[in-house]
Amino acid sequence: MTKKLVIKVTAGADAPERCSQAFTVAAVAVASGVEVSLWLTGESAWFALPGRAAEFELPHAAPLPGLIDAIVGAGLITLCTQCAARRDISEKDVIEGVRIAGAQVFVSEIMADGVQALVY
């Protein structure tokens, strides 16, 4: 059975510790050989844009750009369709390696065998 972790992060700069925890867990899981799918929803949607992660600061936390690079390198980052639309973000705007998809894809991922899901 394949081990897969789906993480939905709703927090951004509005809740920095919760946000950082989601990205950290995703990056550590990728480094551990776990298949990871990280979903950006709500305020975390902004981190799909170039340069936005570099603006994020949290003392004693790993820099967000490095965590994103690690996740994109071996995992999958998805920006919620509705969250993107509410922020006028399109496919052409996002960093390389980020896709835009909706609830149907999310449900499909979390309902697959061997999947664990976390929400931050």
Side-chain angles (χ1 to χ4, degrees):
M1 181 181 299
T2 302
K3 292 190 290 183
K4 182 174 182 177
L5 180 61
V6 178
I7 300 171
K8 184 176 198 176
V9 56
T10 62
D14 60 325
E17 286 184 296
R18 198 161 30 105
C19 175
S20 179
Q21 288 170 0
F23 282 93
T24 301
V25 167
V28 168
V30 164
S32 300
V34 176
E35 183 182 349
V36 172
S37 176
L38 178 69
W39 282 74
L40 305 177
T41 66
E43 286 303 299
S44 71
W46 294 113
F47 297 125
L49 297 175
R52 286 297 185 97
E55 297 171 4
F56 181 85
E57 292 183 13
L58 181 63
H60 310 291
L64 212 53
L67 296 174
I68 290 172
D69 288 346
I71 299 162
V72 167
L76 181 62
I77 297 181
T78 305
L79 172 58
C80 161
T81 302
Q82 290 181 10
C83 299
R86 281 190 282 276
R87 291 160 179 81
D88 293 321
I89 300 172
S90 70
E91 291 275 349
K92 66 177 177 47
D93 300 319
V94 300
I95 59 176
E96 187 175 338
V98 173
R99 69 176 178 168
I100 297 177
Q104 180 181 2
V105 176
F106 179 77
V107 170
S108 175
E109 284 189 16
I110 64 171
M111 296 307 295
D113 286 337
V115 171
Q116 297 294 315
L118 299 172
V119 177
Y120 285 91

